[in-house]
Amino acid sequence: MQQDTATMAAQIAAGDRRALARAITLVESARADHRAGALALLGALGSGRQALRIGLSGTPGVGKSTFIEAFGLMLTGQGLKVAVLAVDPSSARSGGSILGDKTRMEQLSRHPMAFIRPSPSQAQMGGVARRTREAVALCEAAGFDVVLIETVGVGQSETVVAELCDLFLLLLAPAGGDELQGVKRGIMEMADLILVNKADGDLKPAAMRTQADYAGALRLLRRRPQDPEGYPRALCVSAVEQSGLEAAWAEMQHLADWRRSHGHWTTRRADQARHWFGEEVRQGLLAALTREPAKGIMARLGERVAAGEVTPESAAAEMLGLLGRG
């Protein structure tokens, strides 16, 4: 195992995309032996390299895949290596990805400086696969300059993505109506840039109006300490016409550079590491409930609750007491 780990780590560090794909499969596996191998691999690679991590969310049909392909091709044209982790909805039958984003980014998937990996969300809250953070670390170790993380959609995803990324982008369609009303405030508080896509053809005037509406709304929000003056902001882009992409990239670079120079970058990365440590502990405790002897105790207490012999609260307190002694 140690020899295999060392070999794979060396291949990943050398930029071998096949080794990177195998490593991501390893970290996504739920098998105990694979998990041990994944931890060993991550330890061997370390955390010396850093990429710009960009999270991307948006309503279905807004053109996330089209935008990512156009944006990714622009970045590779500038000599940057780009990795895309597209978190797809999971099939309830097989557990695999449903949408297959890789097939919808045909040009980018063939580019020698790009790597696309669709991963099933496996019912994780926010549409972010549980091991996406480790996949990001693997892409960084492989020398990628930019890692794009596309989520299933809007909702809890912006909160989860914020714990993974350096920048969070929200992609909107022009004249989208009121479908975002329920989450608009939370989105604007989390987003670093709002990009109104499809700003072309007959939709261009509507896109400009939408951009102006969001720009006005953003000015009403309290300024965040991690932002320079004028951020977050809203911009118009067209993935089809490839317009506005360079301006959006310039804004991302400016924001990232400002956060680095003012100490927010390092602090945020440290806070994210602390968050994922706690998340791993919580997930480990939940997993322990699915194994014996906890599983059997839970089943017996559940039967007593169903029979009315004990209240759910009392049974939970007894279970937690047993876990505490264990």
Side-chain angles (χ1 to χ4, degrees):
M1 174 65 76
Q2 290 181 350
Q3 185 176 2
D4 292 344
T5 299
T7 301
M8 183 175 284
Q11 291 172 336
I12 292 172
D16 188 325
R17 294 195 296 177
R18 290 186 178 181
L20 175 59
R22 292 196 303 271
I24 294 177
T25 299
L26 183 67
V27 301
E28 289 178 347
S29 174
R31 281 177 45 175
D33 58 334
H34 286 178
R35 188 65 198 146
L39 293 175
L41 177 61
L42 291 166
L45 287 168
S47 56
R49 295 178 179 175
Q50 285 193 348
L52 178 61
R53 305 171 182 174
I54 301 174
L56 181 73
S57 192
T59 51
V62 75
K64 293 192 293 294
S65 296
T66 306
F67 170 82
I68 288 175
E69 179 166 58
F71 186 62
L73 289 172
M74 183 201 72
L75 294 180
T76 56
Q78 297 180 9
L80 298 173
K81 293 182 66 178
V82 179
V84 179
L85 302 176
V87 184
D88 284 349
S90 298
S91 166
R93 180 168 298 178
S94 67
S97 299
I98 293 176
L99 298 180
D101 276 294
K102 192 168 184 177
T103 62
R104 295 185 287 142
M105 303 180 198
E106 187 176 353
Q107 293 183 59
L108 188 61
S109 65
R110 295 199 306 264
H111 200 285
M113 295 182 66
F115 173 81
I116 300 178
R117 174 67 180 228
S119 299
S121 63
Q122 299 171 337
Q124 293 295 310
M125 178 175 288
V128 179
R130 181 181 171 190
R131 299 301 175 191
T132 300
R133 185 190 64 84
E134 295 172 354
V136 170
L138 291 171
C139 291
E140 287 183 322
F144 285 92
D145 303 297
V146 179
V147 180
L148 292 165
I149 304 170
E150 178 194 2
T151 65
V152 171
V154 173
Q156 282 293 323
S157 58
E158 66 269 12
T159 303
V160 182
V161 166
E163 300 298 341
L164 286 169
C165 299
D166 304 309
L167 301 176
F168 172 55
L169 312 182
L170 176 65
L171 208 60
L172 297 178
D178 295 332
E179 75 274 13
L180 291 175
Q181 290 295 332
V183 292
K184 185 178 291 184
R185 172 88 185 193
I187 290 171
M188 290 195 296
E189 289 177 345
M190 300 300 298
D192 294 306
L193 287 175
I194 293 177
L195 304 180
V196 182
N197 194 25
K198 303 183 180 180
D200 49 62
D202 295 339
L203 287 175
K204 189 169 184 178
M208 296 178 68
R209 287 194 301 270
T210 302
Q211 182 267 338
D213 289 343
Y214 274 93
L218 288 170
R219 284 194 292 269
L220 299 177
L221 294 180
R222 183 171 56 188
R223 183 178 171 186
R224 306 178 303 187
Q226 71 268 30
D227 292 335
E229 189 67 37
Y231 286 83
R233 58 179 54 182
L235 304 170
C236 283
V237 297
S238 170
V240 173
E241 293 184 350
Q242 300 181 12
S243 61
L245 300 181
E246 291 190 1
W249 175 234
E251 296 288 355
M252 295 177 214
Q253 289 177 298
H254 173 70
L255 184 54
D257 290 342
W258 188 90
R259 288 177 175 174
R260 285 191 186 99
S261 63
H262 287 74
H264 297 291
W265 181 281
T266 303
T267 301
R268 185 59 183 152
R269 288 272 179 124
D271 290 341
Q272 289 175 341
R274 189 179 297 110
H275 166 84
W276 288 107
F277 158 69
E279 187 63 23
E280 281 298 309
V281 172
R282 284 187 288 271
Q283 293 293 336
L285 290 173
L286 289 173
L289 295 177
T290 66
R291 300 190 296 267
E292 299 295 350
K295 182 178 179 181
I297 298 172
M298 284 280 290
R300 290 191 293 273
L301 286 172
E303 290 297 326
R304 291 181 62 197
V305 170
E309 298 174 6
V310 63
T311 65
E313 294 79 8
S314 297
E318 182 178 346
M319 186 69 208
L320 291 172
L322 292 171
L323 289 175
R325 289 198 297 271

